[in-house]
Amino acid sequence: MIISLLIGLGVALGGFTFQTALGGVNRKIVARLQKRVGPRWYQEFIDIFKLLSKRSVSHGWIFDFGVIMALGGIIGTAMFMPVTSNILAFPSFDNFFIFVYLLAVGMLGMAMSASGSGNPLASIGVMRALTTMVAYEIPFMIVVLTIIKLAGTSSVSGIAEFQQMAGNNWFMIALPLGFVVAVLSLMGMLGKKPFETYIAPAEIASGPMVEYGGKQLGMLFIMHEITVFIEVSLFVHLFLGGAENIWMFAIKYFLVYAGLNLVSNVNGRFKIDQVVVFFYKWPLAMAVVQAIIAIYLGWVI
Amino acid sequence: MNSTRFTERNKEEIDRKWWEIGDYFRRNSLWMLMYCTGCCAIELPPAMTSVYDMERLGMGPMATPRQADVLLVTGYLSLKTLRRLIYTYEQMSEPKYVVGFGSCTINGGIYHDSHAVINRLDQYIPVDVYVAGCMPNTESVMNGFVDLMDLMKSKKADGWKRYHTNYEWYRENQIAALGEVKVHDEFHE
């Protein structure tokens, strides 16, 4: 039990370190895209430790408690995440729905804390974040339920092993339409550019984060990095066949994250109603068509 | 505003151990809040984009005063904007730094005889670095940022401490210029 807990904390901490380093590398990639030199690759670490070293004001105990709840909930979620087929803290507790439920704890903590600050822009940001979530969850869930039906298990490592078995393709190839839907949903989950509506720095002053400064903002940054780690790892396990060893995992993770960043940086930003209409039009239709093709007609490559 | 009023000195004693390490992180990750009311703001886009690229120094724009470390006052300040500048400055989380752009923040510049414009910024809030010129070119703006980092390294960028120790003096000047520093609207009553 203690060893499982230690492995889980190791996954959370390792995921944070890996994602933060990768975030810095991606800032450098984006800088090269814009013909700039870009920051150092460890810039994100400097940013986070600087924020933790600053003094900050509080807006009441809900404001502080919500931040701690968000960070704790996300670390708790990351502990269940399988990294490879062997590195898995709690075997048989890596069900897909556990991640869906536990991710909500972190999000609710952040929503509570942001509302506790009393700033109207924070409330607008939280409302937009929840609306975006309603938009991308439905197409994404249809695709994931298709995968669960095909693989016969809802365990994330089980789905990854199903794809590694002889005779089965990665779901990226087996379900091409669903893969496109999942990429779009992942961009919504990570808050990448066309779906960045709830951050919108120039419009609602970075939305939920508007009143945070210093230590609270530093904790939210750590929470954000671990959230990105969870979401991209889920994607790697569900669609890219998981990973046999840790290097394959790192390579797949990097390709997914860097690719999304490149797509994100040549896009503008949708309005919130455009986000909802976008997700309910083509991705939803494609997800339903993919489910019918895969389950009822049995056309799986 | 109450929370930034400085009464206890013992916070600093706790911080001192980590101050040296924290200084490295703070000077390599300066997040700016741009108070762009004057014409010197036009020098900031080339400093941020691919020509001079301030992100390689770890600097970047931020959306709100709570998140920012350094306040850029770009140019002249009328009495109306000075009031907002003081609120903005007091909302920033410490340690905080101020960079004054152009000759308007030093001695009034070409607006020195205007009735609606303040002449010396450092009578109202403490300024760490001035970038002189009307207007300063982008090289000197970048130079000003590097100077600020050097001052932080040698512990001379202590404007936020001076604001606490000389708070009465600053407040007297603010009240003399503005008449009254409180606003009366639905958020402050």
Side-chain angles (χ1 to χ4, degrees):
Chain A
M1 185 64 194
I2 291 177
I3 292 178
S4 293
L5 279 176
L6 284 180
I7 294 176
L9 283 176
V11 169
L13 195 67
F16 162 70
T17 317
F18 179 58
Q19 164 57 32
T20 313
L22 215 58
V25 172
N26 267 288
R27 272 171 73 174
K28 208 149 177 80
I29 292 175
V30 170
R32 290 293 155 85
L33 194 72
Q34 299 168 346
K35 294 189 179 175
R36 290 188 287 122
V37 178
R40 284 153 289 199
W41 67 268
Y42 50 90
Q43 184 65 45
E44 300 256 307
F45 289 103
I46 298 181
D47 289 348
I48 287 173
F49 289 126
K50 177 209 70 175
L51 284 172
L52 293 177
S53 82
K54 287 189 76 168
R55 291 177 189 159
S56 50
V57 294
S58 173
H59 296 276
W61 70 272
I62 293 254
F63 183 75
D64 296 336
F65 174 74
V67 175
I68 296 169
M69 177 177 156
L71 183 59
I74 289 299
I75 290 177
T77 318
M79 285 169 72
F80 289 95
M81 178 55 75
V83 178
T84 67
S85 317
N86 302 320
I87 305 177
L88 171 57
F90 304 101
S92 79
F93 283 102
D94 61 338
N95 199 299
F96 174 76
F97 297 101
I98 285 184
F99 295 105
V100 175
Y101 277 113
L102 282 183
L103 264 179
V105 175
M107 296 301 169
L108 285 180
M110 186 168 171
M112 193 172 87
S113 163
S115 312
S117 73
N119 194 311
L121 294 177
S123 306
I124 294 176
V126 168
M127 195 191 69
R128 285 185 179 188
L130 295 177
T131 314
T132 313
M133 201 186 263
V134 168
Y136 68 69
E137 285 272 285
I138 292 179
F140 187 67
M141 273 308 196
I142 291 175
V143 174
V144 171
L145 290 178
T146 313
I147 285 179
I148 290 174
K149 166 77 178 152
L150 291 179
T153 171
S154 58
S155 145
V156 171
S157 61
I159 291 173
E161 272 161 27
F162 176 82
Q163 299 171 68
Q164 291 166 14
M165 268 189 279
N168 294 328
N169 265 320
W170 290 357
F171 281 118
M172 173 187 170
I173 300 157
L175 308 173
L177 282 178
F179 177 71
V180 174
V181 174
V183 168
L184 292 171
S185 304
L186 187 66
M187 292 185 78
M189 273 183 219
L190 301 181
K192 291 292 174 194
K193 248 325 165 15
F195 314 115
E196 197 208 15
T197 325
Y198 60 94
I199 303 289
E203 187 188 348
I204 52 170
S206 71
M209 300 190 299
V210 63
E211 279 292 330
Y212 293 97
K215 293 183 174 60
Q216 285 103 337
L217 188 61
M219 284 163 79
L220 280 192
F221 267 57
I222 296 176
M223 177 217 150
H224 175 74
E225 304 288 2
I226 301 180
T227 314
V228 173
F229 171 74
I230 291 169
E231 282 159 356
V232 178
S233 310
L234 264 186
F235 186 84
V236 167
H237 284 288
L238 292 180
F239 288 93
L240 299 185
E244 296 85 12
N245 57 46
I246 203 158
W247 303 113
M248 279 312 291
F249 178 79
I251 291 170
K252 285 177 183 174
Y253 188 104
F254 174 77
L255 288 178
V256 171
Y257 190 64
L260 286 187
N261 251 320
L262 290 180
V263 175
S264 162
N265 269 283
V266 291
N267 273 302
R269 187 189 301 134
F270 279 156
K271 291 196 290 182
I272 186 67
D273 48 341
Q274 288 169 330
V275 170
V276 178
V277 169
F278 176 85
F279 273 117
Y280 282 177
K281 207 185 275 174
W282 289 109
L284 187 60
M286 277 157 73
V288 171
V289 168
Q290 180 67 78
I292 291 170
I293 288 177
I295 295 174
Y296 292 105
L297 304 180
W299 295 348
V300 179
I301 303 167
Chain B
M1 271 201 320
N2 286 328
S3 49
T4 51
R5 209 159 287 160
F6 195 76
T7 47
E8 326 118 23
R9 301 289 292 181
N10 60 342
K11 261 187 198 168
E12 206 167 316
E13 300 295 323
I14 302 166
D15 283 353
R16 185 159 290 156
K17 263 189 270 177
W18 299 99
W19 206 250
E20 291 291 327
I21 310 169
D23 249 358
Y24 169 78
F25 293 123
R26 278 190 288 273
R27 72 171 177 269
N28 280 300
S29 159
L30 284 173
W31 289 351
M32 325 172 288
L33 182 70
M34 296 173 284
Y35 200 79
C36 296
T37 54
C39 34
C40 293
I42 205 74
E43 295 299 330
L44 285 170
M48 267 190 281
T49 50
S50 56
V51 185
Y52 290 97
D53 183 26
M54 62 167 66
E55 201 185 6
R56 69 200 152 96
L57 304 177
M59 305 183 70
M62 271 291 143
T64 69
R66 299 263 187 229
Q67 303 164 357
D69 304 308
V70 49
L71 176 62
L72 310 184
V73 186
T74 56
Y76 65 88
L77 283 167
S78 68
L79 292 177
K80 205 169 180 176
T81 52
L82 175 67
R83 188 190 288 278
R84 272 74 196 172
L85 182 81
I86 291 166
Y87 295 144
T88 310
Y89 179 72
E90 292 190 346
Q91 277 181 12
M92 290 168 68
S93 46
E94 293 167 342
K96 50 193 174 185
Y97 310 96
V98 179
V99 177
F101 277 53
S103 47
C104 296
T105 53
I106 300 174
N107 60 4
I110 58 170
Y111 301 103
H112 66 95
D113 53 355
S114 166
H115 66 281
V117 168
I118 59 154
N119 282 352
R120 289 182 52 198
L121 176 61
D122 66 353
Q123 288 187 330
Y124 307 99
I125 56 172
V127 181
D128 293 298
V129 173
Y130 284 113
V131 182
C134 185
M135 43 209 320
N137 59 6
T138 317
E139 283 95 339
S140 51
V141 170
M142 293 301 286
N143 225 348
F145 293 146
V146 176
D147 282 353
L148 177 62
M149 288 173 195
D150 289 343
L151 285 176
M152 288 165 76
K153 193 173 185 180
S154 55
K155 300 189 181 16
K156 283 178 194 151
D158 56 351
W160 59 280
K161 285 182 194 162
R162 274 186 279 132
Y163 192 65
H164 289 303
T165 48
N166 306 331
Y167 183 69
E168 278 73 32
W169 185 77
Y170 283 117
R171 187 156 177 93
E172 256 172 44
N173 287 341
Q174 290 165 6
I175 289 175
L178 301 174
E180 194 186 5
V181 186
K182 284 251 179 281
V183 253
H184 298 293
D185 59 16
E186 69 266 37
F187 298 116
H188 292 82
E189 306 242 301

